[in-house]
Amino acid sequence: MLRCLAFPRSIIQYRMAGLVLCEPTELYNILNQVTKLSRLTEPNYLCLLDVRSKQEYDESHVITARRVKKKENEYLIPESVDLECVKYCVVYDNNTSTLEIILREQDEDDNSDDSRQELVPGAAVECGRALAQLTHHPVCILKGGYECFSAMYHFFRTQKIIWMPQELDAFQPYPAEIMPGKIYLGNFRQACDPKIQKDLKIKAHVNISMETGPFFINDDDNLLHIKIEDSLEANIFPFLRHLCHFLEVLGLCQEV
């Protein structure tokens, strides 16, 4: 099971209690967890909150994200959310990339050249700090915010606000991301899906099954087909050297 990672605190500033940074890859993998159905169908699995302006949210947001309204400097959490029971609570704004307090210059008055420094958190951190009092798990702050996530995973942007249960049932998860933008782990259906191949810019396949996929047929440079049964008893160890050589040719072996 995936978990969010905490980052080391700054020499000068400090890490918020109850908050952890969540890499874009981690949120991507959280969105794509599956049992028999997508785990997004589980009401207590993920609470994804958008603290940007209404205009920005309406233009596009991450799939299943709910907008958090702010009234009189207080964030209003959607009533349908039971934060005590939620496994993953992820909050994002435009581009927050740190849990640390930000120094902001503020004028003393309109007629003075003097200014003072004010400590302010990013919007996601400010909201997350309030939510941390209501959750049993750390609140995850999406590193880089919506700008970073949508740049990496543009196919997970949407204008859809309300998701019906049957729509979540029909949601087709993408492969798990092992190395950001380079290596993915998926099933045969995902390997045969043209949209997934295009969205993830897949350039090669390692097919570990008895079935033959529709991509890279007769292309030994971009397809390694290891024909073994898909079972718990199958032994993949004799093929690992060949697999590593294939990854090395693709330029991935050293990074793995």
Side-chain angles (χ1 to χ4, degrees):
M1 182 59 64
L2 296 169
R3 62 185 178 85
C4 295
L5 302 176
F7 275 64
R9 59 184 178 181
S10 162
I11 296 176
I12 300 175
Q13 300 166 327
Y14 61 90
R15 173 182 175 273
M16 298 293 185
L19 303 184
V20 293
L21 276 178
C22 176
E23 294 286 346
T25 295
E26 292 181 273
L27 177 56
Y28 166 88
N29 282 331
I30 289 172
L31 289 168
N32 288 296
Q33 290 298 296
V34 62
T35 51
K36 289 185 178 180
L37 297 173
S38 166
R39 294 205 63 186
L40 297 179
T41 61
E42 303 173 23
N44 296 327
Y45 173 66
L46 171 65
C47 176
L48 182 56
L49 300 175
D50 186 320
V51 297
R52 299 175 303 149
S53 69
K54 183 178 185 303
Q55 179 180 350
E56 291 170 321
Y57 177 83
D58 289 343
E59 286 178 357
S60 68
H61 50 268
V62 181
I63 58 170
T64 73
R66 309 182 191 191
R67 179 173 174 264
V68 179
K69 299 178 182 178
K70 190 175 184 181
K71 184 178 181 181
E72 297 178 356
N73 293 324
E74 290 189 4
Y75 289 97
L76 307 177
I77 309 305
E79 294 182 0
S80 59
V81 176
D82 186 0
L83 290 175
E84 289 187 0
C85 301
V86 168
K87 182 171 181 60
Y88 295 109
C89 179
V90 182
V91 184
Y92 68 84
D93 53 20
N94 280 310
N95 52 22
T96 287
S97 59
T98 178
L99 299 180
E100 299 164 355
I101 295 295
I102 301 170
L103 288 174
R104 182 176 68 185
E105 298 289 341
Q106 188 177 63
D107 292 338
E108 289 288 348
D109 54 64
D110 294 337
N111 300 320
S112 172
D113 293 333
D114 296 331
S115 64
R116 61 186 177 86
Q117 292 182 327
E118 181 185 18
L119 295 174
V120 295
V125 173
E126 184 180 29
C127 178
R129 190 165 50 179
L131 297 178
Q133 305 174 36
L134 307 173
T135 62
H136 289 302
H137 300 282
V139 175
C140 303
I141 307 300
L142 180 60
K143 186 178 181 182
Y146 182 75
E147 292 179 4
C148 182
F149 187 86
S150 62
M152 294 175 64
Y153 310 105
H154 62 89
F155 43 90
F156 276 172
R157 295 182 298 187
T158 185
Q159 293 182 325
K160 189 175 182 61
I161 297 176
I162 299 176
W163 290 79
M164 303 300 291
Q166 58 269 30
E167 292 176 312
L168 292 176
D169 288 344
F171 176 76
Q172 297 294 330
Y174 277 51
E177 190 168 43
I178 308 303
M179 289 178 57
K182 295 182 178 179
I183 298 181
Y184 300 86
L185 178 63
N187 56 33
F188 192 74
R189 179 199 65 79
Q190 293 165 337
C192 297
D193 189 321
K195 185 176 187 305
I196 290 178
Q197 305 303 301
K198 179 180 178 181
D199 287 343
L200 298 181
K201 301 178 182 178
I202 300 298
K203 305 298 184 185
H205 278 181
V206 175
N207 180 3
I208 306 177
S209 73
M210 298 300 293
E211 302 175 87
T212 300
F215 295 99
F216 310 113
I217 297 175
N218 299 323
D219 183 356
D220 293 338
D221 291 336
N222 295 300
L223 172 64
L224 173 61
H225 192 178
I226 300 175
K227 295 183 179 181
I228 58 176
E229 294 290 344
D230 185 8
S231 69
L232 295 177
E233 290 74 27
N235 183 13
I236 194 176
F237 288 104
F239 304 96
L240 290 182
R241 183 180 297 275
H242 190 188
L243 173 57
C244 288
H245 176 71
F246 182 76
L247 294 177
E248 184 178 14
V249 172
L250 293 175
L252 296 174
C253 191
Q254 292 182 347
E255 299 180 59
V256 175

